[in-house]
């Protein structure tokens, strides 16, 4: 504040502390209050909520109160309270039908209530009568007529204008469905039912109906029987026994007794006698057969059978029989025909020609009908007159195909069934049911959208042509209509397969927009289905108010973005302006979890101008679907297509359980369940365990991380006997979640068996056997054993074998289960219901490697293989030498080589060749040693390759002269060209090389090389330093023979060194 004088104003003082005014009741009432009819028993009230500035208190305490009462009664008003400050409408249920109500609404907060709004009036819709006509009575007037009378429905239960009454009647135990008789108008309260069955007990009810539908039938049922009359004829008359002088007749009571049967009369005469000369016999009402005797043989007799009530004898049944013993079953009827002119929607006429009667008159026919395509044969009638050649078949379904067949029956029995008729299709009829699930909603300010589902296929009774929509303008709600205009005042027709606009995803729902209606008027709409024959009954009229329409389109461009692990942000654009149908007041945001939409759907209401909302308190790492609708004063518009959004991951919940199993003195299995709330992708688990008290002064904490979600167990092997351990398990996504805690004590368990004794291990070549003696059983019988093993490379005991039967005292283990090079110790533990007992003493150490015999050792196998190889080589060498010596002896006599210088050329298909320079072929002196080059090794006899294709006696000097050019080397060669060993002038007389050169067999097997043959690419050259003729040096190795290239030279053949 500040002070002011004549001079001027002072500066403002410092501001005071914050002052909160007290709350007060709201000053104003809600505005724009409107009421609309919701149904026959409900009204919908709407208003504009108070703005925040008019709450006058804590917004969380603001709510609304609605009061209502019947306008025609001064009864106390009823109230309905809504605690949400954002509520803008409510539906008042359980009101009386066709009743006008007065309604008001007020706002309130924690301090008090504000003023009431202006009163508005609304009337519930007209409905069906909620009570039946009173004082229903019935009296039989004749054998076919009953007169009914009743009183009107009480006024408070009429629920609309009574348009008439319906009488429901049904022959008790005979008719499956009741028939109906309609009495139009509310002035007549009696009706005469005619055309009823004679002497039949009927169940009768009366109900009133309005334009909405039928009311409640009267109760209890009124029972009344029509009066009796003369009976109909007996049925199924047969003569099962016919002799030459006697016949026995059997019958059944009339299908229409029309009273109480008092007896039967049998009259018979010869067919050739006078019509009035009947012999008559009367029998009692319970008699069903009669035997006529003293008849003439081979004669025809006419029998007449009639029944009697108190009204007299009824119509007789006449049959003819011949007194003969030559009878047989009849032939089936033939030429069955259904004339198309006799076919209607629910009946047809079957015609036939009777077959042979088998010398016994036909007594009746049986007609059977089958509905196509898969229906069974059903008997329509088994008492068709024997004189009939046609039969009317009724109670058929419209537009349905049938086949029929027929059989005849005489005194001997039934004939076979006749051939089936051709398929016969009944005609179409009007649809039996109207469309269903009809809804009418405002679409724009001058149109409504009508939706429905087609009638059931079984009720179409033909090919559906389309639908007819009947609509009319209703009078003002406050004025009760005195007269009703015809519903067909306005009508539009739709083709059945027209271009309907689909509003939702169901293909079975058809829609139509009814346009150009008057604004701010109430309309009533009804539908019928029609085919080529006519229309179905109309649906119950549906009322709609035109002028206020909900938005026609959903909000646009909906986007869902994750903010945190529990929040999503949703943004959107308003519906297009042309589809808003007025001012959009706000939006409804629907959201639910994608995996469980029915259980998790929630809705949040927002008022303008917000087009963004944050959805909070959501589940972490969960896929959500979000849909938005706009609303105005008329209601909610359509929802947008769902959009997906997933919240971020968060730390998971604790594992669902923690369990321990197979607890021994040093090991156990710990397992756990997946968290109920994963809150993300589970990356693994962490298991931490430690003893509750230090063990030998040490408290060791062990932490084990288990990767992935597939494995949710851990084997713990480093426990101490009898020590209690504290286990903690937690799951991990992007972070670790809360821990699940549990304690467990290492074995042996209390009451468990004692340790087995005398454990002995016996080892063989492929397995080992453990033997033991049973220990004490403990508090419960032993149920089995386990074997624990401790390998030398780990040093920890672990369960090796389990589920050993309790009767066993030994167990065999294959050595394949043990790791090579590792020694093992074993011990045995007994098990009972209490748990795992004390382990036995460890066994002696056993090696995992089997004791193999010496013949299985690798060194023995190697020596054996080498020995076999040497033996094979020696045998082969001996055979070769023996064969060559025999050839040498046979070819050496009378044959020799010329001492002239000759040249030998080997040719093998164009391969390298060899030239021999001297018949002596000094091996050592012909290899020159230059620049320290070492001579190639000598050939091995085992590598010889030769051919026996030319025998030695074909060898001659002429051939050699053509193929060999022998040049003798000078013996005076320089010593510098000697070999590595001492100089030799000539090879020994019987050297290895001379042996082969002197044998013509091998010389003859060398084939000439083609002139100009190409030399091998690999050559070894040695050049002599002495004077004289050029030397052709030959170098021999194990794989090739190399010769220097020169005039007429030949490159040696690969592999030739094997025998040179």
């Amino acid at each position: 504040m500040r002070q002011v004088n004549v001079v001027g104003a002072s500066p403002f003082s410092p501001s005071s502390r914050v002052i909160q005014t007290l709350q007060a009741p709201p000053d104003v009432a809600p505005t724009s209050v409107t009421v609309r009819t919701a149904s026959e028993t409900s009204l919908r009230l709407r208003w504009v909520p108070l703005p925040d500035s008019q709450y006058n208190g804590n917004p969380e305490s603001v709510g609304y109160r609605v009061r209502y009462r019947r306008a025609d009664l001064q009864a106390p008003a009823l109230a309905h309270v809504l605690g949400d400050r954002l509520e803008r409408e409510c539906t008042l249920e359980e009101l009386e039908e066709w009743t006008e109500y007065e309604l008001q609404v007020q706002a309130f907060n924690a301090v008090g209530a504000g003023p009431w709004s202006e009163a508005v009036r609304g009337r519930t819709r007209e409905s069906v009568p909620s009570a039946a006509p009173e004082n229903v009575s019935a009296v039989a007037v004749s054998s076919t007529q009953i007169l009914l009378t009743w009183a009107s429905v009480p006024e408070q239960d009429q629920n609309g204008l009574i348009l008439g009454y319906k009488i429901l009647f049904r022959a008790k135990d005979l008719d499956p469905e009741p028939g109906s008789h309609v009495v139009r108008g509310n002035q007549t309260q009696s009706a005469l039912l005619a055309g009823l069955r004679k002497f039949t007990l009927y169940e009768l009810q009366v109900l009133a109906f309005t334009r909405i539908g039928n009311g409640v039938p009267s109760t209890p049922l009124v029972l009344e029987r029509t009066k009796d009359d003369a009976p109909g004829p007996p049925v199924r008359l047969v003569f099962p026994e016919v002799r030459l002088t006697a016949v026995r007749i059997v019958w059944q009571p009339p299908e229409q007794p029309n009273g109480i049967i008092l007896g039967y009369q049998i009259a018979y005469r010869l067919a050739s006698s006078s019509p009035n000369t009947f012999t008559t016999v009367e029998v009692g009402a319970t008699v069903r057969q009669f035997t006529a005797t003293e008849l003439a043989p081979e004669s025809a007799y006419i029998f007449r059978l009639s029944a009697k009530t108190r009204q007299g004898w009824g119509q007789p049944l006449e049959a003819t029989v011949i007194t003969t013993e030559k009878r047989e079953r009849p032939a089936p009827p033939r030429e069955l025909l259904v004339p198309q002119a006799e076919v209607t929607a629910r009946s047809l006429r079957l015609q036939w020609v009777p077959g042979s009667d088998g010398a016994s008159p036909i007594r009746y026919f049986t007609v059977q009908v089958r509905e196509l395509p898969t229906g069974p044969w059903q008997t329509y009638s088994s008492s068709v007159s024997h004189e009939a050649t046609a039969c009317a078949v009724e109670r058929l379904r419209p537009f349905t195909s049938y086949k029929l067949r027929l059989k005849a029956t005489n005194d001997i029995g039934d004939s076979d069934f006749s051939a089936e008729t051709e398929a016969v299709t009944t005609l179409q009829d009007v649809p039996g049911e109207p469309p269903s699930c009809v809804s009418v909603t405002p679409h724009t300010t001058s149109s409504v959208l009508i939706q429905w589902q087609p009638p059931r296929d079984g009720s179409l009774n033909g090919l559906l042509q389309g639908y007819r929509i009947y609509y009319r303008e209703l009078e003002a709600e406050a004025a009760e209509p005195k007269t009703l205009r015809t519903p067909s005042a306005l009508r539009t027709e739709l083709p059945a397969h027209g271009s309907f606009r689909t509003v939702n995803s169901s293909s079975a729902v058809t829609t139509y927009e009814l346009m150009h209606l008057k604004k701010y008027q109430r309309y009533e709409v009804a539908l019928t289905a029609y085919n080529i024959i006519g229309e179905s009954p109309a649906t119950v009229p549906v009322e709609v108010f035109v002028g206020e329409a909900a938005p026609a389109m959903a909000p646009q461009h909906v986007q869902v973005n994750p903010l945190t692990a529990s929040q999503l942000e949703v943004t959107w654009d308003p519906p297009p302006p042309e589809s808003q149908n007025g001012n959009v007041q706000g939006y409804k945001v629907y959201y639910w979890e994608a995996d469980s939409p029915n259980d998790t759907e929630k809705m949040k209401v927002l008022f303008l101008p917000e087009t963004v909302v944050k959805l909070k308190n959501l589940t972490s790492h969960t896929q959500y679907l979000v849909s938005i609708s706009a609303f105005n004063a008329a209601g909610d518009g359509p929802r947008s297509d769902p959009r997906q959004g997933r919240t971020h991951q968060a730390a998971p919940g604790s594992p669902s359980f923690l369990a321990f199993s197979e607890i021994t003195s040093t090991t156990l299995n710990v397992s756990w369940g997946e968290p109920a709330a994963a809150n993300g992708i589970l990356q693994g688990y962490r298991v931490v365990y430690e003893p509750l008290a230090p063990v030998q002064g040490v408290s060791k904490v062990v932490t084990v991380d288990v990767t992935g979600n597939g494995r949710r167990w851990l084997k713990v092997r480093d426990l101490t006997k009898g020590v209690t351990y504290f286990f903690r398990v937690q799951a991990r996504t992007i972070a670790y979640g809360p821990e699940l805690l549990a304690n467990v004590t290492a074995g042996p368990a209390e009451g468990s068996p004692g340790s087995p004794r005398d454990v002995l291990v016996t080892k063989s070549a492929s397995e080992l056997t453990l033997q033991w003696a049973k220990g004490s059983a403990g508090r419960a019988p032993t149920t089995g054993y386990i074997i624990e093993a401790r390998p030398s490379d780990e040093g920890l005991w672990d369960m090796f074998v389990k589920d050993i039967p309790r009767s066993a005292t030994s167990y065999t283990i294959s050595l394949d289960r043990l790791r090579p090079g590792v020694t093992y110790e074993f011990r045995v533990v007994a098990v009972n219901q209490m748990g795992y007992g004390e382990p036995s003493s460890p066994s002696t150490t056993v090696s995992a490697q089997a004791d193999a015999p010496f013949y299985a050792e690798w060194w023995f196998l190697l020596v054996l293989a080498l020995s076999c190889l040497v033996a094979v080589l020696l045998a082969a060498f001996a055979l070769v030498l023996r064969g060559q010596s025999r050839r040498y002896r046979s070819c050496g006599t009378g044959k020799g080589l010329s001492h002239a210088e000759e040249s030998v050329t080997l040719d093998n298909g164009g391969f390298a060749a060899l030239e021999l320079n001297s018949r002596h072929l000094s091996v050592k002196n012909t290899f020159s040693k230059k620049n320290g080059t070492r001579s190639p090794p000598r050939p091995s006899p085992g590598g010889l390759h030769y051919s026996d294709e030319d025998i030695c006696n074909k060898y001659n000097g002429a051939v050699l002269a053509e193929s060999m050019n022998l040049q003798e080397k000078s013996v005076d060669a320089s010593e510098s060209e000697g070999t590595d060993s001492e100089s030799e002038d000539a090879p020994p007389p019987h050297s290895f090389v001379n042996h082969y050169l002197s044998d013509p067999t091998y010389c003859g097997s060398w084939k000439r090389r083609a002139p100009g043959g190409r030399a091998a690419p690999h050559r070894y050259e040695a050049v002599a330093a002495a004077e004289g003729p050029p030397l052709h040096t030959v170098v021999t190795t194990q794989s090739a023979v190399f010769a220097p290239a020169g005039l007429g030279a030949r490159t040696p053949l690969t592999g030739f060194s094997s025998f040179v």
Side-chain angles (χ1 to χ4, degrees):
M1 62 182 301
R2 66 180 177 178
Q3 294 179 334
V4 180
N5 60 16
V6 295
V7 176
S10 69
F12 280 102
S13 67
S15 60
S16 67
R17 62 180 178 87
V18 176
I19 299 174
Q20 175 74 49
T21 58
L22 298 178
Q23 298 187 67
D27 296 328
V28 296
T31 59
S32 303
V33 180
T34 59
V35 62
R36 295 286 180 264
T37 301
S39 69
E40 295 83 359
T41 59
S42 62
L43 294 173
R44 182 177 294 111
L45 187 67
R46 293 184 178 134
W47 62 90
V48 175
L50 296 183
D52 295 351
S53 59
Q54 296 179 350
Y55 287 164
N56 294 349
N58 183 6
E60 299 300 327
S61 65
V62 175
Y64 299 94
R65 183 180 290 109
V66 178
R67 70 179 182 185
Y68 57 97
R69 63 180 180 85
R70 288 186 59 164
D72 57 344
L73 298 177
Q74 296 300 323
L78 302 176
H80 182 74
V81 179
L82 299 95
D84 190 349
R85 61 186 174 88
L86 300 179
E87 284 290 351
R88 59 187 185 89
E89 67 177 17
C90 77
T91 301
L92 303 176
E93 303 284 355
E94 300 180 0
L95 305 180
E96 297 183 19
E97 298 90 340
W98 195 236
T99 303
E100 188 177 21
Y101 284 86
E102 188 176 83
L103 306 95
Q104 291 177 292
V105 61
Q106 70 175 178
F108 66 86
N109 57 20
V111 177
W116 288 101
S117 66
E118 293 290 333
V120 294
R121 289 193 174 192
R123 179 184 291 275
T124 54
R125 289 180 185 169
E126 188 175 3
S127 181
V128 299
S130 56
E134 298 178 336
N135 303 326
V136 179
S137 63
V139 58
V141 177
S142 67
S143 60
T144 60
Q145 294 179 332
I146 294 178
L147 177 64
L148 272 82
T149 59
W150 62 87
S152 63
V153 179
E155 185 177 355
Q156 66 273 15
D157 297 323
Q158 291 184 5
N159 301 334
L161 185 64
I162 300 297
L163 299 181
Y165 298 90
K166 288 184 179 180
I167 301 171
L168 306 179
F169 59 95
R170 183 175 74 91
K172 187 178 181 181
D173 302 329
L174 294 178
D175 293 335
E177 297 293 334
S180 65
H181 177 76
V182 179
V183 178
R184 297 288 179 181
N186 193 21
Q187 306 302 320
T188 303
Q189 296 177 353
S190 64
L192 180 64
L193 299 179
L196 304 180
R197 299 182 184 181
K198 298 177 180 180
F199 198 70
T200 301
L201 184 64
Y202 278 88
E203 298 175 343
L204 303 164
Q205 290 178 292
V206 182
L207 60 85
F209 63 89
T210 65
R211 65 187 181 89
I212 303 301
N214 297 331
V216 179
S218 61
T219 54
L221 295 173
V222 176
L223 300 178
E224 182 66 14
R225 184 185 296 273
T226 53
K227 294 184 178 182
D228 57 356
D229 202 346
V235 297
R236 305 188 70 172
L237 175 65
V238 294
F239 296 83
E241 293 183 12
V242 177
R243 299 178 182 177
L244 294 177
T245 60
V247 297
R248 183 164 64 91
I249 180 173
V250 178
W251 66 90
Q252 296 297 326
E255 290 183 346
Q256 300 174 352
N258 299 339
I260 299 175
I261 300 299
L262 301 178
Y264 296 93
Q265 184 183 77
I266 300 99
Y268 59 94
R269 66 176 177 86
L270 278 169
S272 59
S273 65
S274 173
N276 298 322
T277 59
F278 278 99
T279 301
T280 303
V281 179
E282 293 187 7
V283 296
T286 60
V287 177
R288 298 288 185 273
Q289 62 181 358
F290 173 76
T291 301
T293 58
E294 299 180 359
L295 304 179
E298 302 292 339
S299 300
Y301 280 84
I302 297 176
F303 280 78
R304 286 183 179 178
L305 179 65
S306 58
K308 179 182 180 182
T309 65
R310 68 174 185 169
Q311 300 296 332
W313 293 103
Q315 180 181 356
L317 175 64
E318 187 174 289
T320 302
V321 64
I322 300 174
T323 55
T324 179
E325 296 179 349
K326 300 177 181 179
R327 300 188 302 169
E328 59 184 11
R329 292 195 310 160
R334 52 191 173 86
E335 299 181 18
L336 271 69
L337 177 65
V338 179
Q340 188 62 40
E342 302 288 342
V343 177
T344 67
R346 300 181 185 273
S347 66
L348 54 83
R349 184 175 180 82
L350 175 65
Q351 300 177 354
W352 66 88
V353 174
S356 171
D357 60 4
S360 177
I362 293 174
R363 303 307 176 190
Y364 56 87
F365 294 97
T366 300
V367 179
Q368 286 192 339
V369 181
R370 182 169 72 92
E371 183 178 327
L372 300 180
T374 58
W377 285 104
Q378 294 182 343
T379 299
Y380 171 74
S381 176
S382 59
S383 59
V384 179
S385 173
H386 64 282
E387 297 177 347
T389 58
C391 175
V393 180
E394 300 178 342
R395 304 191 301 273
L396 303 179
R397 297 176 55 188
F399 204 60
T400 304
S401 297
Y402 293 92
K403 283 189 174 182
L404 300 94
R405 64 182 184 180
L406 192 69
K407 71 176 179 179
T409 303
N410 64 6
D411 298 334
I412 302 303
D414 298 333
S415 70
D416 295 331
F417 276 103
S418 65
E420 301 174 6
T421 64
E422 296 292 332
V424 180
T425 302
T426 54
L427 302 181
Q428 299 186 58
D429 201 356
V430 297
E433 294 180 0
S436 59
C437 302
V438 179
S439 67
V440 183
T441 56
H443 193 237
T444 67
T445 56
S446 62
S447 66
V448 295
L449 189 66
I450 307 172
Q451 296 175 302
W452 67 91
Q453 288 185 349
R456 294 181 301 107
D457 292 341
S459 68
L460 293 178
N461 298 336
L463 298 176
L464 182 65
Q465 297 289 314
Y467 304 92
R468 289 192 176 98
I469 300 175
Y470 295 91
Y471 62 100
R472 66 169 183 164
E473 183 181 338
L474 295 177
E475 298 179 2
E477 292 182 347
E480 183 174 344
K482 300 300 182 182
T483 59
L484 294 178
R485 287 175 285 175
T486 172
S488 59
L490 300 172
R491 185 179 72 182
T492 180
E493 294 188 8
L494 308 177
H497 300 287
S499 55
F500 299 141
R501 185 162 65 89
T502 301
V503 174
N504 55 30
S505 60
S506 176
S507 61
V509 176
T510 53
T511 63
Y512 182 79
E513 184 178 4
L514 196 60
M515 300 183 293
H516 307 301
L517 305 179
K518 295 181 181 180
K519 288 186 179 182
Y520 308 114
Q521 294 292 332
R522 292 189 307 127
Y523 282 83
E524 189 177 66
V525 180
L527 276 80
T528 62
Y530 70 91
N531 57 18
I532 194 173
I533 304 300
E535 288 184 80
S536 71
T539 62
V540 174
V542 179
E543 185 180 324
V544 63
F545 184 81
V546 179
E548 295 177 349
M553 295 182 66
Q556 308 291 303
H557 309 124
V558 179
Q559 293 185 353
V560 182
N561 301 311
L563 293 180
T564 66
S566 61
Q567 292 186 7
L568 292 173
E569 183 182 61
V570 185
T571 60
W572 65 91
D573 293 333
E578 64 275 8
S579 68
Q580 294 181 7
N581 294 330
N583 296 325
V584 174
Q585 294 183 351
Y587 300 92
K588 291 184 178 180
V589 181
Y590 302 87
Y591 58 99
W592 62 92
E593 294 181 10
D595 295 336
S596 54
N598 295 330
D599 300 331
T600 61
E601 183 176 79
K602 297 180 181 179
M603 185 265 290
K604 189 170 184 178
V605 179
L606 297 175
F607 291 94
L608 288 178
E610 293 89 350
T611 57
V612 60
V613 65
K614 291 182 180 179
L615 304 179
K616 302 179 180 180
N617 301 322
L618 306 180
T619 306
S620 302
H621 195 65
T622 302
Q623 190 80 15
Y624 279 87
L625 293 177
V626 181
S627 181
I628 305 175
S629 66
F631 64 84
N632 57 18
D636 300 338
R639 291 188 186 185
S640 64
D641 293 334
R643 291 290 184 268
Q644 294 184 355
R646 183 183 292 276
T647 52
H648 290 314
Q649 297 189 62
S654 60
S656 56
F657 68 87
L658 183 59
F660 302 95
S661 60
E662 299 181 358
I663 305 173
T664 68
S665 58
T666 58
T667 65
L668 62 80
N669 282 340
V670 57
S671 58
W672 56 90
E674 185 174 341
N679 297 338
I681 300 174
L682 291 170
Q683 303 293 334
Y685 299 88
R686 172 168 289 176
V687 183
V688 180
Y689 61 96
E690 59 181 313
L692 286 181
V695 178
Q696 297 179 355
V698 178
S699 181
K700 182 176 67 171
V701 180
V702 180
T703 301
V704 181
D705 289 331
V706 180
T707 305
N709 188 36
R711 175 185 169 188
R712 293 191 292 273
W713 58 271
L714 179 66
K715 180 75 172 182
V716 179
R717 300 188 298 168
D718 56 348
L719 304 182
T720 302
K721 173 183 174 182
V723 174
T724 300
Y725 286 84
F726 177 50
F727 276 79
R728 308 190 300 270
V729 181
Q730 56 187 154
R732 176 173 62 90
T733 54
I734 59 173
Y736 282 100
E739 297 176 330
L740 182 62
L741 313 176
N743 292 342
V744 64
T745 302
E750 185 177 354
S752 59
S755 60
R757 299 174 286 106
D758 304 331
V759 177
L760 177 64
V761 179
T762 304
K763 180 180 177 183
S764 65
S766 61
E767 60 189 17
L768 59 85
T769 302
L770 271 74
Q771 296 176 329
W772 64 88
K774 297 181 179 180
S776 60
R779 294 182 184 177
T782 301
T783 58
Y785 294 91
I786 67 167
I787 296 176
E788 293 184 325
R790 180 167 65 182
S792 60
D793 59 346
E794 295 183 4
L796 296 175
W797 290 100
D798 194 7
M799 190 176 297
F800 191 74
V801 180
K802 60 181 181 179
D803 298 331
I804 300 175
R806 63 181 179 180
S807 59
T809 57
S810 64
Y811 191 83
T812 301
I813 301 172
S814 174
L815 292 181
D816 295 337
R817 297 185 56 185
L818 307 181
R819 297 194 297 272
V822 179
T823 59
Y824 287 83
E825 289 180 293
F826 297 94
R827 64 184 185 184
V828 183
V829 181
V831 186
N832 64 10
Q833 293 180 352
M834 302 299 176
Y836 291 83
E838 182 77 20
S840 67
S841 299
S843 68
T844 57
T845 302
V846 180
S847 173
Q849 188 170 358
D851 296 333
F854 74 93
Y855 51 80
E857 298 290 345
W858 66 271
W859 55 266
F860 179 80
L861 297 177
L862 180 60
V863 171
L864 182 61
L866 292 175
S867 301
C868 293
L869 180 61
V870 171
V872 170
L873 291 175
L874 290 175
F877 186 70
L879 292 174
V880 170
L881 291 181
R882 182 179 180 185
Q884 299 309 321
S885 62
R886 182 180 299 112
R887 284 195 179 95
Y888 180 76
R889 288 194 303 268
S890 62
C891 298
T893 305
K895 300 293 180 179
L897 286 174
S898 174
H899 292 286
E901 288 187 356
E902 296 175 331
S903 175
V904 180
T905 301
L906 295 178
D907 191 358
N908 187 8
F911 289 97
L914 166 69
E915 289 188 1
L916 299 180
N917 298 318
S918 175
R919 63 190 175 97
H920 299 290
L921 195 61
S922 176
V923 176
K924 291 185 180 180
N925 290 339
T926 57
F927 292 111
S928 73
K929 182 177 181 180
K930 184 176 182 180
N931 297 332
T933 303
R934 183 175 178 86
S935 301
R938 296 176 181 271
S940 172
L944 292 176
H945 300 281
Y946 54 91
S947 173
D948 292 335
E949 63 182 356
D950 297 327
I951 60 174
C952 60
N953 55 9
K954 291 182 180 181
Y955 180 79
N956 56 70
V959 175
L960 288 176
E962 295 176 0
S963 61
M964 303 180 67
N965 180 22
L966 301 180
Q967 296 179 356
E968 186 173 356
K969 179 187 173 184
S970 175
V971 184
D972 299 328
S974 173
E975 288 294 327
S976 61
E977 299 177 7
T979 63
D980 293 342
S981 61
E982 58 183 357
S983 300
E984 296 180 4
D985 294 338
H990 299 287
S991 67
F992 178 78
V993 177
N994 282 340
H995 167 75
Y996 286 97
L997 290 176
S998 62
D999 193 342
T1001 303
Y1002 301 104
C1003 296
S1005 64
W1006 299 346
K1007 297 179 181 179
R1008 179 188 302 270
R1009 171 181 169 88
R1014 182 178 180 181
H1018 301 289
R1019 295 180 299 175
Y1020 186 91
E1021 298 181 1
V1023 182
E1027 298 178 356
L1031 298 177
H1032 297 272
T1033 305
V1034 179
V1035 181
T1036 305
T1037 66
Q1038 292 184 356
S1039 60
V1041 178
F1042 300 94
L1047 183 62
R1050 297 291 187 268
T1051 303
L1053 177 66
T1054 301
F1056 186 75
S1057 62
S1058 300
F1059 63 92
V1060 176

